[in-house]
Amino acid sequence: MANKIKKAVIPVAGFGTRFLPETKAIPKEMLPVVDKPVVQYLVEEAVAAGIDTVIFVTNKNKHSVQSHFSRDRDFEAMLKRAKKFELLDKVKEIHNLADFLYVCQDEPLGSGDAVMRAQGIVQDEPFAVFYADDIVESVKPAIGQLIEVYDNYRTSVLGLFKVPKSEVNLYGIADGEYVSERTLLVRDLVEKPDPKSTPSQLASVGRFILTPDIFSKIAKTKKTKGEVYLADAIDDLCNEGKVYGYELEGKWYDCGSKAGFLRANIEVALKRTDMKKDMQNILKDLR
Ligand code: UTP
């Protein structure tokens, strides 16, 4: 069956409070894991799953995201003159990855509000949403795994990863019933539950397939601490039995926290042939 999900929304207009002061001038989505910004990992994942249009929800201070995905002919010419052809290919492939569109969120009024900014482009198609908090390394792209579930049920689908019980209070946790080995019908999304009373250990990570009825739910969602959370609007869809969750296959890097981000850098470097030895030596030194 032809892949119907062609558009991805990547909101990059948040405060990034957990990474201040770094995020004063540079968005957290542009932080590098080794030598590539987190947001490029997401775009590559989207493209590998057949998505051809990426809509960034951005703001006036986040020029670097647009610069990264735009063609820079002067820079390309410079690399050519310097005969750095390998680097030239690397730089060229970025803007060729997909069609990039930008919509503006003037004020960081929450992840739900950010996704709402993309409604005019998405219109009445299902679409993917990525948060730059999460990188998933997998054989089949994580978003592609969710697209397969969407193709089965034609509902919104959440990407889930099992976390230790002691960490459930850091995430939105899915409550629901398994309908197959890794898929569950999500009844409720419980925000940061107490480990003692958590409904499960399945954390919702930054990968979603959303059906266009999410927009009317976002429009009705009340603000919490001045923000409209996407999770609250999704919860509303859950109440109507319209959301499935899928336990993703692959390795999840939680780059939304400082420790998780540093760990992602170390682990990814250890997997890179050009970095492995140096990284192992550093880790030996630190022991
Ligand atoms: P987060 O809640 O993880 O991002 O939102 P944040 O608010 O920037 O970060 P912290 O928690 O303060 O450290 C998930 C995604 O939604 C975007 C963020 O940029 C992030 O990629 N977002 C969030 C927006 O685009 N606009 C918003 O108003 C809020």
Side-chain angles (χ1 to χ4, degrees):
M1 193 193 306
N3 179 4
K4 291 234 163 53
I5 297 184
K6 293 287 178 195
K7 293 187 180 117
V9 175
I10 308 186
V12 297
F15 271 125
T17 44
R18 284 172 288 179
F19 285 92
L20 275 167
E22 195 279 341
T23 44
K24 181 169 175 279
I26 297 168
K28 70 173 180 185
E29 295 79 7
M30 285 300 292
L31 286 169
V33 170
V34 184
D35 52 10
K36 199 158 68 176
V38 171
V39 71
Q40 192 179 331
Y41 287 86
L42 309 192
V43 170
E44 287 172 356
E45 180 189 317
V47 171
I51 286 168
D52 58 20
T53 304
V54 176
I55 304 152
F56 287 111
V57 183
T58 181
N59 67 30
K60 62 180 185 331
N61 299 321
K62 304 231 170 169
H63 305 293
S64 54
V65 175
Q66 189 155 359
S67 303
H68 187 72
F69 290 100
S70 302
R71 183 158 192 192
D72 184 339
R73 288 173 201 274
D74 292 341
F75 189 56
E76 285 178 18
M78 209 174 75
L79 290 171
K80 214 173 189 173
R81 277 196 302 274
K83 299 198 180 343
K84 296 190 185 297
F85 296 114
E86 221 174 284
L87 290 177
L88 179 65
D89 287 345
K90 260 193 191 162
V91 164
K92 268 184 162 175
E93 78 195 18
I94 302 172
H95 64 86
N96 284 329
L97 280 167
D99 286 335
F100 298 104
L101 303 172
Y102 299 85
V103 291
C104 199
Q105 186 193 32
D106 294 326
E107 268 184 274
L109 294 175
S111 48
D113 181 79
V115 168
M116 197 72 178
R117 306 289 118 205
Q119 184 180 17
I121 299 175
V122 167
Q123 300 203 346
D124 54 3
E125 285 172 35
F127 60 104
V129 173
F130 290 72
Y131 286 167
D133 285 345
D134 303 295
I135 292 179
V136 184
E137 196 181 78
S138 51
V139 178
K140 194 182 283 174
I143 205 73
Q145 298 176 39
L146 300 189
I147 289 172
E148 282 184 5
V149 180
Y150 168 80
D151 284 340
N152 260 335
Y153 296 100
R154 303 273 149 176
T155 62
S156 293
V157 187
L158 313 179
L160 306 172
F161 270 107
K162 202 168 233 165
V163 294
K165 213 170 193 178
S166 56
E167 291 176 16
V168 292
N169 57 346
L170 302 174
Y171 302 99
I173 299 292
D175 180 8
E177 278 106 45
Y178 278 95
V179 293
S180 65
E181 201 193 331
R182 305 185 83 93
T183 311
L184 66 161
L185 178 62
V186 182
R187 196 186 307 126
D188 207 4
L189 254 191
V190 185
E191 201 48 33
K192 302 180 176 158
D194 189 313
K196 285 192 204 112
S197 54
T198 188
S200 79
Q201 289 168 241
L202 296 170
S204 165
V205 301
R207 295 293 184 281
F208 313 84
I209 300 299
L210 296 175
T211 47
D213 48 353
I214 192 69
F215 294 119
S216 61
K217 300 298 181 201
I218 296 173
K220 278 192 248 155
T221 300
K222 292 208 176 76
K223 283 185 183 165
T224 309
K225 296 182 193 157
E227 293 194 16
V228 175
Y229 293 130
L230 180 63
D232 288 344
I234 292 175
D235 208 22
D236 221 0
L237 280 182
C238 290
N239 295 334
E240 295 175 3
K242 287 184 176 168
V243 180
Y244 283 81
Y246 184 76
E247 250 188 87
L248 289 165
E249 289 174 66
K251 167 82 188 152
W252 167 43
Y253 298 111
D254 178 0
C255 298
S257 71
K258 281 177 274 221
F261 170 74
L262 293 172
R263 187 187 175 112
N265 267 284
I266 295 167
E267 285 201 33
V268 171
L270 282 170
K271 286 180 188 160
R272 289 247 312 235
T273 44
D274 59 332
M275 296 285 300
K276 190 175 172 180
K277 199 104 215 104
D278 286 342
M279 203 64 216
Q280 281 173 334
N281 288 338
I282 291 170
L283 292 175
K284 236 184 259 160
D285 257 10
L286 291 176
R287 253 190 225 136

